[in-house]
Amino acid sequence: MYAPPTTPSIEVTIGRETRLYHAFITTAPARFDAPATVTLHTGPLSDVSGIAANPISLSNRADASTRLVLVDGTELAWQRARYRERGHLCAPVDPVLVGLNTLQHWLWNRIGSPTTDLALAEA
């Protein structure tokens, strides 16, 4: 039986195709992302960990580069396994702290941004 994740999600429709994306925090570089994964926010783990659904231990990695990502629901199991098998954090986001309105806002900012973050492009 399928149990949906307790992380916030957002439906994205482009043309006639609709996808359901789930929000996660990861320390994995973008090169480990599935093609449909979208990075919404980056920062040190000590800053980003505050929006996680469960407490995250910061021992020895508080300055680690961390991203808030949207993962396509059809690639979710594969994406989580890929992050974890390489030893990277993959934690669900708290749905109270980061709800639908926040995801919409960050996604619109990401889509509307005319410049790309060089750190993401080179990761």
Side-chain angles (χ1 to χ4, degrees), residues 53-100:
N54 301 308
I56 296 174
S57 171
L58 299 178
S59 62
N60 299 327
R61 54 183 190 165
D63 292 333
S65 179
T66 307
R67 301 179 299 134
L68 169 63
V69 295
L70 291 178
V71 179
D72 185 343
T74 61
E75 300 171 332
L76 184 57
W78 179 87
Q79 185 69 74
R80 290 175 78 177
R82 185 169 165 98
Y83 288 160
R84 288 181 177 159
E85 74 186 9
R86 287 170 171 76
H88 294 287
L89 172 71
C90 183
V93 172
D94 187 312
V96 174
L97 297 175
V98 180
L100 180 59

Side-chain angles (χ1 to χ4, degrees), residues 24-43 64-71 75 78-79 82-83 86 88-89 110 116-123:
F24 286 89
I25 295 171
T26 185
T27 54
R31 69 178 174 267
F32 296 129
D33 289 352
T37 299
V38 178
T39 300
L40 294 182
H41 179 73
T42 60
S65 179
T66 307
R67 301 179 299 134
L68 169 63
V69 295
L70 291 178
V71 179
E75 300 171 332
W78 179 87
Q79 185 69 74
R82 185 169 165 98
Y83 288 160
R86 287 170 171 76
H88 294 287
L89 172 71
R110 177 74 169 104
T116 59
D117 186 352
L118 290 178
L120 292 176
E122 295 174 358

